[in-house]
Amino acid sequence: MSSLTILDFSDNMLTSSTFQLLSNFSSNLRELYLSQNNIVLSHYSHHSNFPSLVRLDLSYNNLTSSVFQGNFNFASNLEHLDLTNCSLMDTSFPMSSTSIVNSSSSLVLLHLSFNLLTSSNIFHWIFNFTANLHSLSLDDNLLEGRVPNNFDKAMNSLEYLDLSYNKLQGDIPAFFGNICTLQTLHLSYNNLSGDLSRFIQNSSWCNRHVFHALDLSYNRITGMIPTSIGLFSELDSLSLQDNSLKGEINESHLTSL
């Protein structure tokens, strides 16, 4: 099986020994899909070597707190990493340990949705091993506090960001408008507050020509919807329901949308 490049074992009942077995013939493996199995890697110590891996999907397994402290060696050209619904906690990402990706300049997609993350330190962990992400999903966790102020500088290649269904607090971060590549921003179902007009006006929105979707629904946002919302001429989807907005909407808001 040394010529195998794509392997999909998703939706089975495979266990952790499968993961260990795969490393024995993984020299040319580029895509590995193990989603929705019975893989448990809580105390995994076997040396796993995947030198050619580009896509890895371990979603819907049980990767508990010590998985990233093991001796993993993923390729520097890993592009897609999906760890959705893996029972990951804050302790799964020790700041002092070697990253799961030794050199991650190629990583463009990271999915950490539906886990048990509570601390915003996860952002700093991500910043430590990649700066070229295009898609980041951290929705449906338990994240509290504020998004770090240096987020826009560390994640200046993002196109898609989902932080919805968490417990994030504070004003809506204006620095999201400084990520010139950002096209989609989901912040719904948090505890974000602040004045919407101030958020729109204080952001540089250098991505105005590519920005397509903004979801701020189910937060605690106040103020009026500014007419400057019309500057987002490429906007396809705008969700502001269940906040505390006031005022009126007229043609000046909608003409350019």
Side-chain angles (χ1 to χ4, degrees):
M1 301 180 72
S2 60
S3 299
L4 193 68
T5 58
I6 300 175
L7 180 59
D8 192 341
F9 279 154
S10 302
D11 294 284
N12 283 286
M13 301 179 67
L14 301 173
T15 60
S16 304
S17 59
T18 303
F19 198 77
Q20 179 175 343
L21 175 66
L22 293 176
S23 65
N24 294 330
F25 59 91
S26 62
S27 58
N28 292 309
L29 198 61
R30 293 179 56 81
E31 299 183 21
L32 176 58
Y33 302 96
L34 293 170
S35 177
Q36 300 193 66
N37 279 282
N38 292 330
I39 297 174
V40 179
L41 298 178
S42 58
H43 297 286
Y44 195 75
S45 59
H46 179 78
H47 183 86
S48 297
N49 188 31
F50 297 90
S52 302
L53 207 60
V54 175
R55 293 173 180 258
L56 174 62
D57 187 351
L58 284 170
S59 60
Y60 294 88
N61 284 288
N62 189 10
L63 312 183
T64 52
S65 59
S66 61
V67 60
F68 293 108
Q69 299 176 26
N71 190 12
F72 290 87
N73 181 23
F74 290 105
S76 60
N77 57 344
L78 186 67
E79 296 179 0
H80 289 206
L81 178 59
D82 193 342
L83 301 175
T84 299
N85 204 336
C86 288
S87 302
L88 296 172
M89 299 177 288
D90 296 338
T91 52
S92 304
F93 303 91
M95 295 295 294
S96 59
S97 72
T98 302
S99 165
I100 185 175
V101 183
N102 292 333
S103 175
S104 55
S105 59
S106 297
L107 192 68
V108 295
L109 182 146
L110 177 61
H111 285 176
L112 295 172
S113 307
F114 291 94
N115 281 293
L116 302 171
L117 304 172
T118 62
S119 171
S120 58
N121 285 337
I122 183 61
F123 295 113
H124 300 295
W125 187 89
I126 293 171
F127 299 165
N128 276 348
F129 78 88
T130 182
N132 296 314
L133 279 182
H134 292 182
S135 178
L136 175 60
S137 298
L138 282 165
D139 55 288
D140 291 272
N141 277 279
L142 303 168
L143 295 174
E144 297 181 324
R146 298 173 181 265
V147 181
N149 290 330
N150 62 336
F151 188 94
D152 56 323
K153 297 178 178 62
M155 297 278 99
N156 55 19
S157 299
L158 270 186
E159 298 175 2
Y160 178 93
L161 176 61
D162 192 345
L163 298 175
S164 57
Y165 290 90
N166 281 289
K167 299 179 180 180
L168 296 172
Q169 301 167 335
D171 289 353
I172 325 164
F175 52 71
F176 285 134
N178 301 332
I179 306 175
C180 298
T181 54
L182 192 62
Q183 301 177 25
T184 300
L185 177 60
H186 293 299
L187 296 172
S188 61
Y189 289 91
N190 278 287
N191 295 319
L192 297 172
S193 56
D195 186 277
L196 180 63
S197 297
R198 191 175 298 116
F199 166 64
I200 297 294
Q201 294 165 4
N202 289 350
S203 302
S204 68
W205 294 111
C206 57
N207 56 353
R208 212 172 273 157
H209 62 293
V210 297
F211 202 67
H212 288 286
L214 176 62
D215 189 349
L216 296 173
S217 59
Y218 296 91
N219 279 286
R220 301 175 181 178
I221 300 167
T222 58
M224 302 176 67
I225 301 176
T227 55
S228 55
I229 196 72
L231 295 174
F232 299 99
S233 57
E234 300 301 317
L235 202 63
D236 294 324
S237 174
L238 175 64
S239 299
L240 298 172
Q241 69 265 28
D242 277 87
N243 281 287
S244 298
L245 299 171
K246 61 182 180 181
E248 61 180 26
I249 302 294
N250 53 45
E251 289 183 6
S252 61
H253 290 84
L254 307 176
T255 300
S256 300
L257 292 178

